[in-house]
Amino acid sequence: MNPSSKRVIAELKELEKLTSDERGAQRVAWGPVWRKAREWFEGKLKNELALPMRQDGAGNLWATLHGDSERSIVIGSHLDSVPGGGWLDGCLGVLAGLEVLRVYAAKGQRPPVTLHIVDWADEEGARFGRSLTGSAASAGSLDPHKELAHLVDRAGVKLPDALRENGITLDGMRTARKYFDDLRAEAYLELHIEQGPVLQEMKRPVGVVLGTMGVERHQLKFIGQAAHSGAAPLHLRQDAFLAGARFALSAQELATKLSGKTPRTRVVATCGVVKVEPNFVTAVPGRTEISIDLRALDAGVLAKLLAGTKKASLAAAKEFKVKVEWSPILQITPRIFDETLTGFVRKAVKGVTGHAPEIPSGPLHDAAEMADIVPTAMVFAQSSPGISHTRIEDTPEPALDKSVRAFLATVEQTVEHLARKAEPRRKRAVVGRR
């Protein structure tokens, strides 16, 4: 196993022991275990590399290894977890970033370009429901007062109060974009576990991420008429639940029809929440709320999927003599990653494993926010048994080894690429001084 991989895996296990219990990882953002994880990580950087860390206005934690050029690469992911999460989700990318700084610092000279590492704040949104908080603030896509001020956790704690406990204010979060702009970043790279079963099914340890899928998430209300289950004949019922059930099956059928044969063209449709009223055994349901989450990498396909599900909802409502109403919850455009950087990932993964399978990311990542403002690429490590957000999340150590090696090779190619771009500028500066 590569020495860098050994260090990363050992530190992942060290962090697991420090911040997990019998239920899994407990590094929920803004809480005490999360702060303990950050203190541990900050100690690594200070003690080994003498690199101070800085927290921006959104709570993102940064460290910098200065290079010969102000052109810079940002390497990031997140230490926070869902309650009862796995030992790899997010923290794999942060600790791989730490290893990148070690590797370049060990050379004994400044790297050709500047390297930044970031632990993004509250990627998961596990406590208050707003995911990608820190990276969205850095990308300038977050309106803190509009999106965060009203959020409350299950214990009744308001998000602004939790932020204040960590030295963060809603007004201060607006400064995160300027902080990022001042870094002069020209690339963002992230290593993450896949969190799904695709690479495992392919029997491939590492994958090239094409981008993150776009999302259309909506809430539907089917409104019929509640009635006594014994007294209401079947042909006279206005059963809102059956309309919702028909819709869910139709959405699944449509997604199956629109899905292509390759991971790049895969689409999904999920009805994850169903609420029925009056919700007792002797009542025909008069009202049903059902969620729909649609995802695709291709914006045109996503639009077609949304239009098809709306048509299916109207058909289901008509069939069961009910009405249907739609309310949007979340809309995110597909984020296709940078072609040049993805080419470096492809070359690195193939060089390490002999293959370079390409897949989209169904889950969102901080890279999705970064892709809007800076060239971005990701490396995926295989997940086994193909699930995440649970304590049984895992990746075989040989796959972790290969993913770290492929990520380091991707960073190396990116450094060389930016150094070549910076060279003409340095030459012009020398000529000008003469």
Side-chain angles (χ1 to χ4, degrees):
M1 186 178 289
N2 181 279
S4 286
S5 302
K6 284 185 177 180
R7 278 192 294 265
V8 171
I9 293 170
E11 288 174 335
L12 285 165
K13 292 179 178 179
E14 185 180 341
L15 180 62
E16 179 187 23
K17 185 176 181 180
L18 180 70
T19 61
S20 300
D21 58 24
E22 69 281 357
R23 299 165 296 168
Q26 303 300 330
R27 302 182 303 275
V28 178
W30 315 120
V33 180
W34 175 69
R35 288 193 291 270
K36 181 191 295 186
R38 284 191 148 191
E39 289 170 6
W40 171 84
F41 179 60
E42 191 169 357
K44 297 276 183 182
L45 283 155
K46 284 183 177 179
N47 298 334
E48 295 184 36
L49 300 173
L51 291 177
M53 300 204 74
R54 294 182 62 188
Q55 182 170 279
D56 68 18
N60 302 311
L61 201 58
W62 295 88
T64 300
L65 183 63
H66 291 285
D68 289 334
S69 170
E70 291 182 353
R71 292 175 181 268
S72 73
I73 299 170
V74 173
I75 298 164
S77 196
H78 58 98
L79 288 177
D80 72 300
S81 74
V82 299
W87 71 296
L88 298 168
D89 184 2
C91 51
L92 170 61
V94 177
L95 295 180
L98 170 61
E99 185 61 21
V100 168
L101 297 191
R102 282 198 191 102
V103 168
Y104 277 92
K107 296 178 185 291
Q109 59 187 21
R110 288 161 67 101
V113 299
T114 296
L115 300 171
H116 304 285
I117 183 173
V118 59
D119 167 31
W120 298 112
D122 203 359
E123 190 271 354
E124 296 288 3
R127 183 175 172 189
F128 293 96
R130 207 303 180 181
S131 303
L132 310 181
T133 304
S135 54
S138 290
S141 63
L142 175 73
D143 185 332
H145 286 278
K146 182 179 179 180
E147 298 183 54
L148 305 181
H150 64 287
L151 298 180
V152 180
D153 70 8
R154 292 181 180 180
V157 178
K158 296 179 180 179
L159 177 52
D161 293 335
L163 294 176
R164 196 174 300 112
E165 187 179 350
N166 290 274
I168 308 298
T169 66
L170 294 179
D171 287 334
M173 295 186 88
R174 296 183 183 277
T175 66
R177 177 60 194 264
K178 184 181 184 303
Y179 185 100
F180 188 89
D181 288 343
D182 289 343
L183 300 179
R184 299 186 63 181
E186 298 191 27
Y188 174 79
L189 301 172
E190 183 171 347
L191 171 62
H192 206 283
I193 58 169
E194 182 200 342
Q195 299 183 273
V198 178
L199 288 173
Q200 180 179 250
E201 184 182 40
M202 290 180 172
K203 295 182 172 57
R204 302 298 183 207
V206 190
V208 181
V209 188
L210 297 168
T212 57
M213 288 179 166
V215 181
E216 285 281 357
R217 189 176 301 160
H218 299 260
Q219 188 79 11
L220 284 74
K221 295 178 183 177
F222 289 96
I223 303 168
Q225 178 59 59
H228 192 288
S229 64
L234 292 179
H235 70 285
L236 295 179
R237 293 183 179 186
Q238 300 175 53
D239 193 322
F241 170 71
L242 289 181
R246 178 76 79 219
F247 166 75
L249 291 171
S250 297
Q252 176 76 7
E253 291 167 1
L254 181 61
T256 301
K257 181 179 178 181
L258 290 177
S259 280
K261 295 182 179 180
T262 65
R264 179 189 290 266
T265 56
R266 174 171 53 91
V267 305
V268 292
T270 306
C271 294
V273 176
V274 181
K275 298 178 181 178
V276 175
E277 296 178 7
N279 195 32
F280 56 88
V281 70
T282 58
V284 175
R287 181 186 179 99
T288 294
E289 295 185 17
I290 186 168
S291 66
I292 183 70
D293 183 286
L294 309 171
R295 303 192 185 214
L297 188 64
D298 184 288
V301 173
L302 183 60
K304 187 181 294 186
L305 185 59
L306 177 61
T309 52
K310 286 186 174 180
K311 184 177 179 180
S313 72
L314 293 173
K318 182 178 180 180
E319 180 181 357
F320 292 98
K321 306 180 186 69
V322 303
K323 298 178 181 179
V324 61
E325 298 174 357
W326 281 67
S327 299
I329 298 174
L330 178 68
Q331 295 170 299
I332 298 175
T333 58
R335 310 287 168 84
I336 308 300
F337 292 155
D338 181 75
E339 185 176 341
T340 299
L341 296 184
T342 300
F344 295 157
V345 174
R346 190 178 295 111
K347 181 179 178 181
V349 172
K350 189 171 184 178
V352 171
T353 70
H355 304 273
E358 300 179 353
I359 63 174
S361 176
L364 296 173
H365 298 283
D366 296 302
E369 291 290 348
M370 290 293 99
D372 266 0
I373 61 171
V374 65
T376 294
M378 285 188 76
V379 177
F380 265 173
Q382 180 199 102
S383 287
S384 176
I387 59 176
S388 185
H389 284 189
T390 168
R391 64 182 178 82
I392 65 171
E393 162 196 287
D394 200 14
T395 293
E397 289 195 10
L400 287 176
D401 168 49
K402 290 179 174 64
S403 70
V404 171
R405 288 161 53 195
F407 187 70
L408 291 174
T410 299
V411 174
E412 183 178 8
Q413 291 178 73
T414 307
V415 167
E416 292 173 355
H417 171 67
L418 293 187
R420 287 194 298 270
K421 290 174 67 176
E423 188 64 31
R425 179 184 297 177
R426 289 200 295 269
K427 287 181 178 179
R428 285 195 298 269
V430 170
V431 171
R433 285 197 295 272
R434 291 177 182 172

